[in-house]
Amino acid sequence: MAILEVKHIEKHFGSTKVLNDISFSLEKGQALSIIGSSGSGKTTLLRCLNFLERPDGGVICVNGRVIFDAEDKTTQSDKEIRKKRLHFGLVFQNFNLFPQYTALENVTLARELMAKEHGSESKAAIREEGLTLLKQMGLADRANHYPHQLSGGQQQRVAIARALAMKPDILCFDEPTSALDPELTGEVLRVIRELAKQKTTMIIVTHEMAFARDVADQVIFMDDGVIVEQGDPRQVIEHPAQERTRQFLARYSQEE
Amino acid sequence: MLLDVTLSLLEGFGVTVQMFVLTLVFALPLGLIISFGSMSRFAPLRRLIQGFVWIVRGSPLMLQVLIIFYGPGLLFGLPLLPRFTAALLAFVINYACYFSEIYRGGIQSVPRGQYEAGQVLGMTKPQIFFKITLLQVIKRIIPPMGNEWITLVKDTALVRVISVYEIIWMGESYIKKGMIWPLFYTMVFYLAFNGILTIFFGWLEKKMDYFK
């Protein structure tokens, strides 16, 4: 059974339709890449999954359970949304680390707040787990550094650890390397590759075509708020069936 | 003589310090409320508050002190407020408006991404405010707040327009006796007070220096 099913998602900003009848599904342990030019709706789609935007239409199911239905207001109260958004993690383009907290505190803060509410875990256990995650990101020696003392690549890896700390079912990346200097993208992509190897379920919005092709089990090409083409990454990126996909990829390889 | 002058200046300085402290006690929280109003999504309230802030910030504090002291009596036949209370009321309203703009700037300068990062980690709105935004806002408003507090110390001299006897008034009373040095002496009080404030704000800024 698919871990994520997205059915007929619609989103308008005023009179502009940014997402139009978006449907796809994702199997547990798979990675999905979403490619497309700026303004194609990729980021909005990711933000809808994380409830930073409220879709105007459509249904989102996780593990076969409806977690959002545009027709059903009971799925849309702040409290419900807050619980359900934890199915998803989000890594932002600009990291958005909390500047006043160390790398480790960034990773553990939300978990500690949650433990305070439910009294489930000890602070020490959360801390231990945070350290393990940072180690996994190759940042064991940076645990007590503040974000401004870290490079962009290190900050983004802390952000990935922070998202993983909440144990999301699906981890989303919104152009995770777009804000990085070229020489720093490698270390972030390596970490994401490693996560793919460990069968982390992921959705990655990216401009790195080679990366999308290599790491993903499935690729979606979006243009103008619709899914133009989806399927096997090699198929879509190397032998696109649609003219629009071909044009995008041609323009893209020219820029590179 | 020196002792006499010192005692009488201290008496005036007491009024100055009271005005300073009480203005802060009331204007700091009131300013926060006004800043929320000026950021309200309800447009009529927002415009009303912004208009009010514009009037208060755009006209002299001395004029506001005079209006609040004499206005209610001359316009509506109400009894006069005690002088100190009237002056304090004018100061609180005036400074609350200035503070509200400082708060607004501080709150709006926290990037949207900070709220969103908190949201996707499942934090509640109060958690996001207290655990993420608040300290960043405080860090950003320390420098303008420092300026505003120092201005307030000096502005307290204005209360004399409705005959509240603050320190300069006391110093000036010696001119009749042909003495100018008490006036210079008042300056020492101001400089010492503002010196302490400067050190305090410098210390605060340094304390917040560990993050950017």
Side-chain angles (χ1 to χ4, degrees), chain A residues 191-232:
Chain A
V191 164
I192 302 176
R193 270 203 182 99
E194 196 50 47
L195 290 173
K197 246 187 243 162
Q198 296 163 12
K199 297 291 171 205
T200 312
T201 314
M202 294 189 287
I203 301 177
I204 308 159
V205 167
T206 184
H207 287 299
E208 306 272 338
M209 288 309 139
F211 174 72
R213 184 191 60 209
D214 298 342
V215 84
D217 301 287
Q218 198 190 148
V219 166
I220 285 177
F221 169 65
M222 282 180 69
D223 193 23
D224 239 355
V226 295
I227 294 181
V228 176
E229 193 164 347
Q230 64 178 308
D232 180 75

Side-chain angles (χ1 to χ4, degrees), chain A residues 47 50 52 78 82 85-86 92 96-101 109-110 113-114 116-117 146 148 162 166, chain B residues 113-114 116-125 127 130-133 135-136 140 209-212:
Chain A
R47 291 171 62 83
N50 284 279
L52 291 176
D78 277 355
R82 196 186 143 221
R85 67 170 14 131
L86 287 176
F92 296 87
N96 293 339
L97 291 182
F98 308 131
Q100 72 268 44
Y101 293 113
L109 176 67
L113 290 173
M114 196 130 328
K116 224 188 260 172
E117 262 176 82
Y146 287 92
H148 74 97
R162 180 175 71 175
M166 303 309 287
Chain B
Q114 292 288 311
E116 293 184 345
Q119 280 181 309
V120 298
L121 291 166
M123 293 185 201
T124 60
K125 277 182 189 155
Q127 284 173 343
F130 287 111
K131 294 289 176 178
I132 301 174
T133 342
L135 198 61
Q136 296 184 42
R140 274 162 232 237
D209 228 15
Y210 72 93
F211 73 89
K212 289 215 165 68

Side-chain angles (χ1 to χ4, degrees), chain A residues 159-171:
Chain A
I160 295 172
R162 180 175 71 175
L164 285 170
M166 303 309 287
K167 304 198 169 82
D169 294 311
I170 300 143
L171 184 54

Side-chain angles (χ1 to χ4, degrees), chain A residues 57-180:
Chain A
V59 174
I60 300 171
C61 301
V62 172
N63 287 321
R65 277 186 38 226
V66 175
I67 64 160
F68 177 87
D69 184 345
E71 305 285 297
D72 180 359
K73 289 274 178 253
T74 60
T75 64
Q76 293 173 35
S77 72
D78 277 355
K79 204 171 157 216
E80 281 298 301
I81 295 255
R82 196 186 143 221
K83 234 182 326 175
K84 283 162 177 176
R85 67 170 14 131
L86 287 176
H87 289 293
F88 297 90
L90 179 59
V91 174
F92 296 87
Q93 184 175 343
N94 299 316
F95 333 133
N96 293 339
L97 291 182
F98 308 131
Q100 72 268 44
Y101 293 113
T102 63
L104 181 59
E105 288 167 341
N106 263 278
V107 175
T108 56
L109 176 67
R111 278 281 291 279
E112 279 174 7
L113 290 173
M114 196 130 328
K116 224 188 260 172
E117 262 176 82
H118 303 112
S120 45
E121 292 170 298
S122 77
K123 227 175 161 167
I126 296 171
R127 214 186 118 85
E128 206 48 52
E129 212 172 302
L131 280 170
T132 312
L133 279 167
L134 285 176
K135 205 183 211 171
Q136 197 185 329
M137 297 293 129
L139 293 169
D141 55 335
R142 293 285 183 274
N144 295 319
H145 285 58
Y146 287 92
H148 74 97
Q149 299 168 318
L150 301 172
S151 73
Q154 290 170 332
Q155 288 189 51
Q156 190 60 301
R157 284 184 283 150
V158 173
I160 295 172
R162 180 175 71 175
L164 285 170
M166 303 309 287
K167 304 198 169 82
D169 294 311
I170 300 143
L171 184 54
C172 303
F173 293 86
D174 183 15
E175 304 191 19
T177 59
S178 294
L180 296 176

Side-chain angles (χ1 to χ4, degrees), chain A residues 13-26:
Chain A
F13 288 134
S15 59
T16 344
K17 210 167 211 179
V18 266
L19 293 177
N20 191 357
D21 197 19
I22 300 286
S23 298
F24 66 89
S25 68
L26 183 63

Side-chain angles (χ1 to χ4, degrees), chain B:
Chain B
M1 194 66 217
L2 179 65
L3 184 68
D4 272 2
V5 173
T6 307
L7 286 177
S8 95
L9 288 192
L10 269 177
E11 194 190 323
F13 190 59
V15 173
T16 298
V17 172
Q18 271 182 50
M19 189 57 86
F20 173 81
V21 172
L22 290 173
T23 300
L24 289 182
V25 165
F26 294 110
L28 286 170
L30 181 62
L32 194 59
I33 295 168
I34 295 175
S35 79
F36 288 144
S38 70
M39 291 183 288
S40 166
R41 259 177 261 171
F42 181 57
L45 175 68
R46 190 178 61 233
R47 296 224 183 84
L48 188 77
I49 297 278
Q50 286 175 347
F52 181 74
V53 170
W54 180 73
I55 290 170
V56 171
R57 294 209 314 161
S59 62
L61 176 54
M62 190 192 281
L63 183 60
Q64 294 162 15
V65 172
L66 288 169
I67 287 173
I68 287 184
F69 183 60
Y70 293 112
L74 293 177
L75 289 173
F76 310 109
L78 296 169
L80 288 179
L81 286 169
R83 290 168 191 277
F84 185 85
T85 313
L88 180 61
L89 187 60
F91 269 65
V92 167
I93 293 172
N94 183 278
Y95 271 83
C97 287
Y98 277 97
F99 292 157
S100 79
E101 286 297 288
I102 293 178
Y103 292 137
R104 191 169 65 90
I107 291 169
Q108 289 178 342
S109 70
V110 175
R112 183 100 208 100
Q114 292 288 311
Y115 298 91
E116 293 184 345
Q119 280 181 309
V120 298
L121 291 166
M123 293 185 201
T124 60
K125 277 182 189 155
Q127 284 173 343
I128 292 173
F129 180 74
F130 287 111
K131 294 289 176 178
I132 301 174
T133 342
L134 185 60
L135 198 61
Q136 296 184 42
V137 172
I138 290 174
K139 181 183 167 85
R140 274 162 232 237
I141 66 175
I142 288 172
M145 265 300 168
N147 287 335
E148 216 52 57
W149 286 29
I150 286 171
T151 307
L152 171 58
V153 172
K154 295 177 288 179
D155 272 357
T156 55
L158 288 173
V159 299
R160 59 178 308 164
V161 296
I162 53 169
S163 305
V164 178
Y165 303 140
E166 45 68 59
I167 184 167
I168 295 184
W169 181 291
M170 294 301 204
E172 203 181 333
S173 63
Y174 290 94
I175 288 183
K176 288 193 288 288
K177 297 171 191 161
M179 289 154 66
I180 187 69
W181 65 267
L183 267 187
F184 285 102
Y185 194 11
T186 63
M187 196 190 281
V188 175
F189 284 83
Y190 281 107
L191 290 176
F193 195 3
N194 278 332
I196 292 168
L197 284 181
T198 306
I199 291 168
F200 170 67
F201 275 96
W203 172 81
L204 263 186
E205 256 181 75
K206 211 161 193 171
K207 269 212 87 108
M208 294 283 167
D209 228 15
Y210 72 93
F211 73 89
K212 289 215 165 68

